[in-house]
Amino acid sequence: MRRPSPPRRSTAARTLAAATLAVAGLLPLAVAPAQATPPVDTLAKGGDHDYPHHELSPELQAKLDKTVRDVMKKAGIPGVQVGLWMPGKGSYVRAFGVADKHTGAPMTDDLRMRIGSETKTFTATAVLELVDDGLVGLNDPISKYVKGVPNGNHIAVRDLLDMRSGLFSYSADSAFIRAFLKNPKRPFAPKELLGYAFKHRNQFPPGSKFQYSNTNYILLGLVVEKVSGKSLRDFIEHRVLRPSYLDHTLFPQAAEFPRPHAHGYTDQTPTGKVADATHWNPSWGWAAGAMISDLHDLKHWAKDLATGTLLSPATQAKRLKVLPTGIPGAGYGLGIFNVNGWTGHNGSLPGYESLTIYLPEQRATLVALLNTDILYKGEEPSTVLGKAITSVVTPKHVYYLPPQK
């Protein structure tokens, strides 16, 4: 599944079709220097409460250290946080490289990062909680909640959740792309985003095929607000973040970015020149990609998401029923994917990428946070890293999403 982000360079939209679930971020700060400080790795400072405290074997740690450094070097990744928790084998938590290319400040495992399309897992959970409350039906037409949606009488809430609505993704609209690149600090309102999408004809009849579209999740955010009477931000705070004890995760109101955080670097600029996107306004991603979190919160969220801590067993079973995406080894459910056995989501927006996945078979969790979204040979850097790590620790379950044409 691919990311919902603006285009690479100014030539064409980076269409978030179906190969790496993600989104984008926003503000042109200082341009990064030509050479980054050499990677430095640091041991974790945080504790683990639902896994054994012992670390992986020294041999496996050394192999993973080399694997991560090799990926960083070839893909040009400034900094990475990696957390791997494998019951019965131990844990591995490291931070490599730099959090700020200008100052050379090291990456550490306690820095907050923008998580892009992982926001969809929180939005989907909010909707599914309303399903459990009896206030929303998965088969309800979106027209029941939001007026003016093309073919809205035939597009169900379920079609939005599992990316089968046929609605055009606003983030692939040329006018949106121009507006974003002209001023990435500017705010976007949800209905403004829908305006970019609704200018286009629907791509296919609802339910007939998979196509990743940020438009789906903007609509789902509006469903939550209409039914609950609360802002999406407040609903997620009270019904998702607090019950899961995610104290370092938030849905920002605008471009705020609580410290400590890492700087993020992107080449999604009018000229293709690398820029510091740390403070770009993520409102354009809203329910599809605006959230912020950290390594240790995402470790706990991976398990809650995959096991359905906040939902009824029946609703969780519906969430986990993945349908084909057309991508080998990858299926998509209700705001969640399964890639070769790993369940979770990834995220991307200018300057940042993330990957949070859980392997039920081994009760293993992998979280990776990167401070760049610059592609490596057409691949998302989070995919390159995830593939390399899982090839080492779970060779029968390798996480991989091929580049989309």
Side-chain angles (χ1 to χ4, degrees), residues 1-256:
M1 305 6 111
R2 200 163 156 62
R3 72 171 83 186
S5 60
R8 295 257 169 214
R9 313 288 187 265
S10 57
T11 53
R14 229 163 131 184
T15 57
L16 312 293
T20 304
L21 314 153
V23 191
L26 339 182
L27 146 135
L29 251 58
V31 174
Q35 293 184 336
T37 302
V40 176
D41 58 296
T42 58
L43 294 176
K45 297 193 279 282
D48 301 319
H49 304 293
D50 49 356
Y51 292 91
H53 287 275
H54 66 277
E55 295 185 335
L56 297 175
S57 69
E59 295 78 15
L60 186 51
Q61 289 186 64
K63 190 170 185 179
L64 287 170
D65 286 349
K66 183 178 186 303
T67 296
V68 175
R69 291 194 189 100
D70 286 348
V71 170
M72 291 179 68
K73 182 178 180 180
K74 72 179 183 181
I77 300 169
V80 173
Q81 300 175 38
V82 177
L84 177 66
W85 297 268
M86 304 185 73
K89 295 183 179 180
S91 61
Y92 171 89
V93 181
R94 292 284 193 275
F96 298 82
V98 295
D100 186 334
K101 292 168 70 173
H102 180 70
T103 66
M107 182 69 78
T108 61
D109 75 322
D110 60 350
L111 298 180
R112 284 173 167 165
M113 307 278 268
R114 299 194 187 276
I115 60 172
S117 278
E118 288 200 41
T119 302
K120 292 181 175 69
T121 64
F122 295 93
T123 299
T125 298
V127 172
L128 294 174
E129 286 182 323
L130 292 172
V131 170
D132 275 342
D133 292 345
L135 299 175
V136 173
L138 288 175
N139 294 322
D140 289 348
I142 185 59
S143 60
K144 179 177 178 180
Y145 306 102
V146 182
K147 305 302 180 184
V149 179
N151 202 28
N153 289 335
H154 299 96
I155 296 172
V157 169
R158 185 193 305 271
D159 297 324
L160 300 171
L161 285 163
D162 64 15
M163 299 293 185
R164 292 173 179 269
S165 71
L167 292 168
F168 186 87
S169 183
Y170 66 86
S171 54
D173 176 75
S174 59
F176 164 77
I177 293 165
R178 288 193 299 272
F180 174 82
L181 292 177
K182 182 178 180 181
N183 181 12
K185 295 182 183 179
R186 63 159 290 189
F188 286 87
K191 291 192 176 180
E192 181 183 6
L193 298 173
L194 294 179
Y196 289 114
F198 294 167
K199 294 187 303 181
H200 300 265
R201 298 180 62 178
N202 290 13
Q203 307 293 288
F204 49 82
S208 63
K209 62 184 291 188
F210 173 89
Q211 181 172 300
Y212 199 82
S213 172
N214 288 325
T215 303
N216 296 332
Y217 276 73
I218 301 303
L219 288 168
L220 290 169
L222 292 175
V223 170
V224 172
E225 294 195 332
K226 182 176 179 62
V227 174
S228 70
K230 298 179 179 179
S231 70
L232 179 63
R233 180 178 186 268
D234 286 347
F235 189 91
I236 287 177
E237 169 69 24
H238 289 92
R239 292 290 301 273
V240 183
L241 302 184
R242 290 186 184 178
S244 285
Y245 302 100
L246 304 181
D247 297 331
H248 296 95
T249 303
L250 71 148
F251 197 119
Q253 290 183 310
E256 70 268 25

Side-chain angles (χ1 to χ4, degrees), residues 274-314:
V274 175
D276 185 327
T278 307
H279 301 290
W280 290 8
N281 191 327
S283 62
W284 72 269
W286 196 53
M291 289 180 68
I292 294 166
S293 190
D294 73 1
L295 187 76
H296 298 283
D297 268 14
L298 290 175
K299 177 195 72 171
H300 294 291
W301 180 239
K303 186 176 181 181
D304 282 355
L305 178 67
T307 61
T309 301
L310 303 182
L311 302 179
S312 69

